[in-house]
Amino acid sequence: ALAGTGMKAHDALGAASWTAREYLGLPGLVEGAPADAVVYAEDPRGDLDQLDTPVAVVLRGRRVR
């Protein structure tokens, strides 16, 4: 939705992930911090449609998809 307003894909993705964590006062990618991951076949910053088809999802260190 944010990209649809003209926001750059990188900034739209950040608003839903790393930038949001910083805004909420949560740790980023630092040793000891919780980290979840979503893996895509291609970089979603170049094609936001990639967000619909993750290759893998890792929550709390366990692959759930």
Side-chain angles (χ1 to χ4, degrees):
L2 290 173
T5 68
M7 183 180 281
K8 293 178 183 178
H10 182 269
D11 295 333
L13 289 169
S17 56
W18 56 84
T19 305
R21 290 186 66 80
E22 181 180 328
Y23 176 81
L24 294 170
L26 299 171
L29 292 176
V30 296
E31 186 174 340
D36 300 329
V38 182
V39 180
Y40 300 98
E42 296 183 32
D43 188 344
R45 293 174 296 177
D47 177 11
L48 290 175
D49 289 334
Q50 290 293 313
L51 296 173
D52 295 331
T53 55
V55 173
V57 178
V58 178
L59 296 175
R60 294 174 206 86
R62 299 189 71 168
R63 185 174 177 166
V64 296
R65 178 174 174 182

